Amino acid sequence: AQKVTQAQTEISVVEKEDVTLDCVYETRDTTYYLFWYKQPPSGELVFLIRRNSFDEQNEISGRYSWNFQKSTSSFNFTITASQVVDSAVYFCALSEIVNTDKLIFGTGTRLQVFP
Amino acid sequence: DADVTQTPRNRITKTGKRIMLECSQTKGHDRMYWYRQDPGLGLRLIYYSFDVKDINKGEISDGYSVSRQAQAKFSLSLESAIPNQTALYFCATSDRIPGVYNEQFFGPGTRLTVL
């Protein structure tokens, strides 16, 4: 069965610190997608990144970077030089193409960045 | 205008009341989904529909029903609301191109409180 685990329930950092949010997934499928979403206090879901299972290249977008490692079934998210505006709940999610494109979400990590 | 809209955005109701949450989309997508978000549990799938005549139960469908009135509209009903249905509800839509991931687009969410 597919599953996404975000073991960190809550993380607190001080502004300008780097922070890594962990995501570990389980799937029997060889073809799948992984995602990160941000949910700010306003409640909407903001799409951050999608990565398919055949692309293990790490990605960097400004202060955000993602480390995908199939060997450890992990898709970790790092924020460099965190800012107060990064405070949010972050969700990792998995989708298996053959399983009707349903998204399986982790339980989320609440990040608080203090000034 | 937003591609995926949800009404109402906030609702407070009493135990035993019937309530309907509505979702509309202008993306022309065939697939629509209803998710529920609870603190510490992430998002969980309630129902999904692949077209007007194809409706399927998700992970937590008990206590809910849905109606796909048209391609663009997918409603979620709570026949007799109970307090543990207090949650944030998200609607999502996606296309249905075979063999590839069809990205889900989320609505802004409906915050439901059952007293």
Side-chain angles (χ1 to χ4, degrees), chain B residues 12-18 79-86 113-115:
Chain B
I12 300 174
T13 191
K14 295 182 178 179
T15 297
K17 293 291 188 182
R18 183 178 188 276
E79 297 301 326
S80 179
I82 57 177
N84 77 359
Q85 291 178 312
T86 294
T113 302
V114 184
L115 301 177

Side-chain angles (χ1 to χ4, degrees), chain A residues 44-83:
Chain A
E44 75 272 22
L45 283 171
V46 178
F47 168 81
L48 295 178
I49 190 172
R50 180 180 75 227
R51 173 68 71 209
N52 76 53
S53 52
F54 298 110
D55 184 1
E56 287 194 72
Q57 275 195 323
N58 292 330
E59 181 153 340
I60 298 175
S61 177
R63 296 185 296 107
Y64 295 171
S65 62
W66 290 269
N67 184 342
F68 176 28
Q69 293 197 342
K70 288 179 77 170
S71 61
T72 56
S73 297
S74 65
F75 187 43
N76 296 337
F77 173 31
T78 297
I79 301 175
T80 303
S82 60
Q83 299 176 1

Side-chain angles (χ1 to χ4, degrees), chain A residues 95-110:
Chain A
S95 178
E96 299 170 341
I97 292 179
V98 295
N99 195 23
T100 67
D101 298 339
K102 287 185 289 186
L103 280 172
I104 307 299
F105 283 84
T107 53
T109 297
R110 180 178 298 279

Side-chain angles (χ1 to χ4, degrees), chain A residues 9-64:
Chain A
T9 304
E10 187 162 341
I11 301 174
S12 295
V13 298
V14 177
E15 219 171 9
K16 298 185 183 177
E17 285 186 22
D18 298 346
V19 58
T20 295
L21 309 181
D22 297 333
C23 174
V24 174
Y25 63 92
E26 296 175 28
T27 177
R28 293 184 212 164
D29 220 11
T30 56
T31 303
Y32 52 89
Y33 285 89
L34 295 164
F35 305 80
W36 276 95
Y37 287 86
K38 174 182 180 180
Q39 186 177 45
S42 51
E44 75 272 22
L45 283 171
V46 178
F47 168 81
L48 295 178
I49 190 172
R50 180 180 75 227
R51 173 68 71 209
N52 76 53
S53 52
F54 298 110
D55 184 1
E56 287 194 72
Q57 275 195 323
N58 292 330
E59 181 153 340
I60 298 175
S61 177
R63 296 185 296 107
Y64 295 171

Side-chain angles (χ1 to χ4, degrees), chain B residues 1-7 9 22-26 34 91 107-108:
Chain B
D1 288 340
D3 294 321
V4 185
T5 58
Q6 293 183 232
T7 56
R9 293 294 312 279
E22 299 187 346
C23 176
S24 295
Q25 51 112 348
T26 58
W34 275 105
C91 174

